[in-house]
Amino acid sequence: MTSNTSTDIEPEEDPSEVAEEVFEEIDNRRSLSGAAVVAVAAVGITFSAFQLWLGARGFVFDFGIPGYGTIDLGSLSSLQIRAIHVNFALVLAFLLFPGSNGSGLLTGLVDRAARAVSDRAGDSPVSTVVSGVRDALWWVFVDEESSRITPSDLVLILFSTFPTLYYVTRYSEITDVIRVRGLGGAGGLSEVYPWLAPLEVGPLAEYTLAYLMGVLAILLVLEATRRALGLLLTLLVSLFLLYAKYGYLLPRDLPVARTFATSQLRWNQIVQNLWYTVEGILGVPVGVSVRFIYIFILFGAFLEMSGAGKWFIDLAYSITGTRKGGPAKASVVASGFMGMLSGSSVANTVTTGALTIPLMKRSGYSPEFSGAVESSVSSGGQILPPVMGAAAFLIVEYTGTPFREVVIAATLPAIAFFFGMWVMVHFEAAKHDIGGLARSELLDLGPHMRRGWFYLVPLGLLLYYLVIARLSVGRAGWLTIAATIGLIALVAAYNRRLGPYLVGTFAAVYALFAGSLFALGTTPVGLLYGAETADFGLVAAFGEAASSLPTIATVVGVAFLLADPSGDAPLLELDDSVENSIDWVDERLGTGIGGTRVGRFGSFVVKAMDSGARTATLVVVAVAAAGIIPGVIGITGLGGSLRALILEVSGGSLVLLLILAGIAAVIVGMGMPTTVMYIIIVVLLGPVLPDFGIAILAVHLFVLYLGLMADVTPPVMVAAYAAAGIAKSDPFETGKQAFLLSLNKILVPFAFVFSPGILLLRTRDGEGSILTGTDVADLGFFVPEVAVPIVATFAGVYGLGVAIIGYYHTDVRRGSRAALVAAAVLLSIPGMVLLPASAALGLVGVDASLYTVSNDVIARGAGAVMLAVGLIRNRRRAGERGTSTGTASGVTATDAGDAAVES
C-alpha cells in the first residue's frame, strides 16, 4: 500500500530556510520589518499580558500598593471580556495578513481596466489620471509583496475597536434595553454620543448604534476570517448568515427543502443573536478560548521559546536515532511532543520536519515516505495528552467533562496511534534495510539529560495541577506558565561560580516564606499587602509555601541576573527565534542585549508572549467565525430538523451513522482549522450519536480524531503539502502515503466508540465515567470490556501497520494484506461486523442480537487467530526464501519483532 517512489536524493538546501518558505507559502502572513514589527509585537504582548491577568486574577482589575491600599480599576462581565479578546485577534489579523496582494478578481479587473485605458489613450491626461487612481487604490488596499501595512488595514483596526468600546461603555444598555426590547429599542448615534449628531445621516440616522456596531462586528470577523483562514470558511459562514435571513423562502412542499425551511427573521434579530448573546460570535467557542485555549497556547509558546522544543527533538534522536529506521522513529516521538505544544498540524510539520525529513531521507527513506511520516505524526500531536490541541478544551466545555478526565480518556488511544506509527516506520526500515544514525552523529543521552532535565518540570507540574491537585484548566495553565518563567530565570542565572549561592538563596527564601506562614500566618508578600492570616502547622506551612515557588524562583533568578548581567549561562539554550529577535534588536538599536543574561531572559519572556499571541490569533478568529454557525442553527431551529434528517438517512444504523459522521468530519476538516471542523460536526451530529447509548466523551473524541484525518487526506492535505515542500517530493504521493499511515486515526476512534473501556470509561445509561477502583475490581466487567479491548486494539493496530507497509520478514502478498486488515477490524472493532450481521439476519426474519459482550470477545479471539496465522505464515515464507538469515535483504530474524519490543 505504500512504496518508496523516489530513490535519488538531491543535494539538500538549508532545511530551515526551505521550511520557512513552505510555511510562508501556506500561511500567507506578512514579512514585516521596522516599525511594523514593533507594532505587531506590542499588540501581541499586550494581548498575552491581558490573558495572563485573566488567568491570575480573573475579570476584576485592581492591584494593591504597599502602604497605600488597593487601586480598583473596575471589573468586566464575561461578554465584555470576550469582545475584547476577539478585538485583539482582529487587530492582529489585520496587521499580520494582507487584505489583497493584487491577484484577486476585483483587483485584477481594476488593473486590467487601467492598463487598457493607458494602452488606448497613450501618454495623455486621461491615462495619467487613470494610472494615478489605480496607484492610489493599490497604495490604500493592496500589499503585493506581503511586506507592508496598508492604510485600509489601519482603518479596519480603528473600526474594530468601535463594537468593543460600545460593549465596554454601554453594557447597561445591552443588558437592560436590548435584551428586553431588542436592537430597535437602543439609542441612536446622537442619543449615545450627542457630539456626533452632525454625522447622523443615511444609515447612521436610520438604524440604532447597537445595530450598526453588531453589523460592523460581524463584517469585521468575516474579513479577518477571509484573510487569516481563507475564502472557504468565509463563504461557509456567509452561507449560514444568508440562510438565517432567507431560509424561509425555501419551498415547503418539497421533502428535503421542507426540512431546511425556517420562519422569517429580521436582520435585527439575527444581529442581536450573533453579537449580543452567548449564542453567536461571543459564544461557547470564544468563551473557551478566553478561559482555556489561549493560556495553553501561551504555555506552549513559553516552553518552546525556552528551548524545550530543540531539547526534546535531540532527546528523541538520542534515544531512537541509532535503531533501525531511527530518524523516522525519532520523528514519531519528537513530532508528537511538538504537535502537542503547537496545536497545529502544519506548524508542527514545518517546525520539526525541517530537521527530521532531511535525516529520514539521508538514512534511506524515500522523500514521499519521509514527508508522509512527518505530516501524519504531526497531525497526531493534537490528540496527545497532557496538552492536546485547542479542540480538547472545546470538548471540556461542550461535554461538561473535567479536563483531567479528558486527558485520562485520551491517553491510551493516543498511545495506540503513535504505537502504530512506530510499527510502520520500523517495518518500512526493515523492508528497505534502513539502519539508524551513527552514535557519533547524536548527542550522548546522559550529558543531554543533565543539560536539560529541567524542561520536564513544567509538564510534570501541569499533570500535577490537572490530575492530582484538580485545579481548573485556566488556573493550572497560569501556574504552569509562572513556574516556567521562574524556572528559566533560575536557569539563566545559574553557572558554576554562582550556582551554590543561587541554590542557597532559593532555599533560604523558601524557608523564609514557610517560616513566615508558620509564625505569622502569611507570607512576607502577604504582610506587605495586609493579607488575612491563618494558622499553619510546620508541615502545612512548607506545603503552602510551595505554591509561592514560581514567585520565589522568578525573584531570586532576576535578582542574580541583575547583580551579574553579563555572566555566563551554560544551561540557557533558547529557541533560535528568540536568538534571532535579540540579534535584530541589537543590530537596529546598537545595543548588546544578546551578550547579557538578563537581556536574553527578558527577550525570552517577550518573544514567548508575542509568539503565543500570533499563534492564538488564528484560533481566536476561527472560533469567532465558527460561533456564527451554531448561532444560526439555534435561532433558526435547524438543529432539530437536522437531527431528524440524519437519523432518517442512517436508517437507525449506528455503523452507517458513524461512517457518515467520519466522512463528514474529514470533508469539513479539509482546509479548515481543527477547531472549526470540531464545532461544525459536533453542532450537527453531536446530539444524535448519544441517542445510540454512546458515551458523550467518546462521541467528541471520535469527531476530533476523524477531523484530523483531513490534514493528510488528498486533495487538500495541508500538512502533507507542507511536508512535501520540505521533502522535495510529489505532493499527491506524499499525501496518499500520509493518509495510509494515518489510518489508525480511523481504526482507533471506531474502536473506542464501540468499546469505551479503551478510554478507561464505564458507560451506564449512556453516561460515561472514568474507571474507579471498584470498576477495576469487578473482573466480570473489567476483563471483557476494558482489558481485552485494549490489548486487542493494540494488536489490531500492529496488524494494520503490517498490512499498510506490506512487510513482515518478507513482502506480504495482497491476499495476506486483506486478511490482516480483516483481522485488525475484528480485533479492534468487532461491532462493525456483528451489528451489520444482526441487521442482515433481521432482513431474513431471524431475530438475533449478535452484538453481545461474549460475542465481542469471541470475535476478537478470531481476529487474534487470523493475525497470528498471517504473521506466522509470512515468517515461514521468509524462512523458505532465506530472508530470515539476511541473505536476500540483510534483515535478521529478530528484526521483525523489534517494532513491538522497542515500543
Side-chain angles (χ1 to χ4, degrees), residues 331-332 335-336 348 372-381 417-418 421:
S331 173
V332 173
S335 297
N348 183 26
V373 169
E374 181 56 50
S375 57
S376 183
V377 294
S378 292
S379 64
F417 167 72
F418 283 96
M421 288 299 307

Side-chain angles (χ1 to χ4, degrees), residues 28-39:
N28 194 36
R29 292 178 191 242
R30 286 183 167 122
S31 299
L32 299 173
S33 60
V37 173
V38 177

Side-chain angles (χ1 to χ4, degrees), residues 740-828:
L740 292 172
L741 293 176
S742 298
L743 285 177
N744 285 325
K745 290 200 201 85
I746 297 176
L747 186 72
V748 172
F750 273 90
F752 65 62
V753 163
F754 282 97
S755 301
I758 298 171
L759 298 175
L760 302 181
L761 294 178
R762 185 168 190 174
T763 304
R764 297 180 179 88
D765 299 324
E767 297 291 331
S769 59
I770 294 295
L771 297 181
T772 63
T774 304
D775 295 323
V776 175
D778 183 3
L779 297 182
F781 156 77
F782 183 79
V783 172
E785 298 191 45
V786 179
V788 170
I790 289 173
V791 174
T793 297
F794 275 83
V797 166
Y798 187 91
L800 182 63
V802 173
I804 289 171
I805 298 302
Y807 187 88
Y808 185 81
H809 287 275
T810 187
D811 292 338
V812 182
R813 293 170 176 170
R814 183 173 299 178
S816 297
R817 282 190 179 191
L820 287 173
V821 171
V825 171
L826 279 175
L827 277 163
S828 305

